[in-house]
Amino acid sequence: MTTNRVTPKTGLTLGVIGCGNMAGAILTGVLDSCAKTREAGEEPRIVRFIATVNSEGSAKRVKNQFSKYSDRLEVIQGDNVKAMKEADVVLLGFKPYMIDLVLTVDGVREALAGKLIISVLAGSPVDKLNAAIFHAGPRTEDEKPFFIKRAMMNMAAEYGQSMTVLETNPFIPEEYEDLIEWMFSQLGKTAPVAPELYDVAGVMAGASGALLSIAFDGMLDGAVSQGMKRADANKILTQSLISLATLLQNEHPAVLREKFSSPKGTTIAGLLSLEEDRARYAYSKATIASSERSKEIGN
């Protein structure tokens, strides 16, 4: 049986527009992967990187952060259009409120023509991005179409342990889909999601860590109140969460709670305390609030 796999393109240039924390985490993972490919004597898929920032201070920060890759990473201050023109693939990493400020600038539309655009902007649907880029009028027949792919990951991308949700788009060519899957596989695992589920999936991938950190911090406070040093409790609880993540890949949370709970035991006492304080409802409510906020930003 034959397949329709495309031959991966190499020698590409990636332009990162707005190199903040999330875009920086992506850049770290992809740069490291490409460096390993080069060390193996092969040409990496991406050989040149461009990162744009707004301030001189940010430029210094990015240059220092990626100093070992200064031979292949160019940092540009205040000229996003130049980076877009020179890039084969454009990653939008600025703050969502800056969409009009960045994408309505003269030359952006022409610079993006025929290219793959990857957006990691929360609450920014494809229609909103298109509206900004085509603010002066609809695409003409002689303009090359560009292709927008939305992705949402978490800060663990820097360590290759992220979960990235990728919004499905049937119009993106297979060679671009292959490149996208490769890029985000360097940062951890990926999962495709339909457009109508992207906001809540983005919360599961991106915001969930911050929400769960509240529970983590509360448990540390409880351990300290019982006489334990915070550093020691942090070490134990961190590994316990890693263990829990492994278990949850194979069993439902309710099944695990039942296995953990012994009659008149410590676990069931703690679980009943959480139920009394409506902890599950609080986390459900927080997840819904984050998802709804993502939808509001997109309107």
Side-chain angles (χ1 to χ4, degrees):
M1 183 176 69
T2 60
T3 63
N4 294 322
R5 293 291 294 174
V6 295
T7 302
K9 286 187 176 181
T10 57
L12 298 173
T13 296
L14 173 64
V16 179
I17 311 303
C19 193
N21 291 333
M22 189 61 72
I26 297 171
L27 195 55
T28 296
V30 177
L31 272 166
D32 289 345
S33 176
C34 289
K36 292 176 182 177
T37 301
R38 189 188 295 269
E39 291 170 1
E42 302 175 6
E43 183 180 35
R45 287 192 168 190
I46 302 173
V47 297
R48 184 184 175 216
F49 299 81
I50 307 170
T52 72
V53 293
N54 286 328
S55 67
E56 184 177 346
S58 294
K60 290 181 179 179
R61 171 184 59 78
V62 174
K63 288 178 180 178
N64 289 336
Q65 182 179 355
F66 300 104
S67 58
K68 66 178 180 179
Y69 295 125
S70 59
D71 61 327
R72 66 206 72 171
L73 172 64
E74 178 183 2
V75 180
I76 298 177
Q77 180 185 341
D79 194 347
N80 295 321
V81 175
K82 180 179 185 294
M84 292 177 186
K85 284 181 178 178
E86 297 182 12
D88 299 299
V89 180
V90 176
L91 175 70
L92 305 181
F94 49 84
K95 300 296 183 183
Y97 71 84
M98 298 176 65
I99 286 177
D100 288 338
L101 183 65
V102 174
L103 298 182
T104 61
V105 173
D106 289 343
V108 166
R109 177 172 174 167
E110 294 77 12
L112 295 177
K115 296 179 180 178
L116 171 63
I117 304 168
I118 301 173
S119 171
V120 297
L121 311 183
S124 304
V126 172
D127 287 346
K128 187 172 184 177
L129 300 175
N130 276 325
I133 297 169
F134 292 117
H135 70 283
R139 185 173 68 87
T140 60
E141 291 185 1
D142 60 341
E143 282 185 273
K144 291 183 178 179
F146 50 74
F147 305 93
I148 300 178
K149 185 76 169 185
R150 290 208 294 167
M152 182 57 62
M153 71 296 301
N154 57 55
M155 293 305 299
E158 186 174 351
Y159 305 99
Q161 293 296 325
S162 177
M163 165 52 75
T164 302
V165 293
L166 300 170
E167 183 181 49
T168 56
N169 184 337
F171 302 106
I172 294 182
E174 186 178 357
E175 65 183 79
Y176 283 157
E177 289 285 12
D178 183 76
L179 177 62
I180 293 164
E181 180 63 31
W182 170 81
M183 275 186 61
F184 289 100
S185 292
Q186 311 313 305
L187 314 177
K189 296 183 179 181
T190 65
V193 295
E196 64 270 19
L197 297 176
Y198 184 80
D199 291 291
V200 66
V203 172
M204 293 292 96
S208 59
L211 301 182
L212 291 171
S213 71
I214 300 295
F216 186 96
D217 214 20
M219 294 181 73
L220 290 184
D221 286 346
V224 172
S225 75
Q226 292 295 298
M228 198 171 200
K229 291 183 179 179
R230 186 172 295 271
D232 293 338
N234 187 86
K235 180 180 179 180
I236 294 170
L237 186 54
T238 298
Q239 182 56 46
S240 293
L241 289 181
I242 294 173
S243 302
L244 176 61
T246 301
L247 293 170
L248 286 172
Q249 291 179 5
N250 300 291
E251 295 203 71
H252 190 279
V255 175
L256 286 179
R257 288 197 299 274
E258 185 66 23
K259 288 184 175 181
F260 280 132
S261 300
S262 301
K264 295 185 178 182
T266 57
T267 302
I268 193 63
L271 288 172
L272 287 175
S273 176
L274 289 173
E275 290 294 344
E276 183 179 9
D277 293 330
R278 304 180 75 193
R280 273 197 294 176
Y281 173 72
Y283 273 94
S284 296
K285 185 178 178 182
T287 300
I288 294 168
S290 294
S291 178
E292 291 300 319
R293 179 55 183 156
S294 180
K295 296 174 185 176
E296 289 173 4
I297 295 172
N299 294 329

